Amino acid sequence: DYLLGTTNDRDFDKSLKPASFQERLNNLAQEKGEKFSKIAHSMPFPENYFYDWKRQNLLPSLDYLKALAAYFNVSIDYLIGRTDFKN
């Protein structure tokens, strides 16, 4: 509900130390003990996108963010560093 927008909901806890999407993605992959090549097999995009996002400091499309968030069982807001709560 809060993705890239604002909210009046007081239950939304903004990150005290915002992390970049690239940092969160790397941390989640490490926590899961998986390489991007393995993760890519479950994604609707090729493995090289991971490296493009990192090199060019880009965010994926909303569809890809949804796929990644579902794979890691986290919210999109956590994935892009807006909150410190995974769900």
Side-chain angles (χ1 to χ4, degrees), residues 4-86:
L4 305 177
T6 59
T7 180
N8 291 326
D9 188 340
R10 294 170 193 221
D11 292 334
F12 180 77
D13 292 315
K14 186 176 177 182
S15 177
L16 298 176
K17 294 181 182 178
S20 71
F21 162 74
Q22 291 77 10
E23 291 171 314
R24 288 280 167 91
L25 183 60
N26 284 329
N27 291 341
L28 288 166
Q30 287 176 354
E31 286 174 17
K32 207 165 174 110
E34 294 181 357
K35 296 184 180 201
F36 292 141
S37 56
K38 181 176 181 199
I39 297 166
H41 289 289
S42 301
M43 294 294 120
F45 54 81
E47 178 183 351
N48 66 308
Y49 280 28
F50 288 107
Y51 307 105
D52 292 343
W53 296 328
K54 187 173 183 176
R55 265 193 319 271
Q56 298 174 28
N57 199 29
L58 299 172
L59 283 176
S61 69
L62 182 56
D63 289 336
Y64 296 164
L65 284 170
K66 286 179 183 177
L68 288 164
Y71 182 84
F72 290 112
N73 195 30
V74 297
S75 70
I76 293 174
D77 285 313
Y78 178 81
L79 187 59
I80 63 173
R82 293 191 69 220
T83 185
D84 295 326
F85 296 97
K86 289 186 176 182

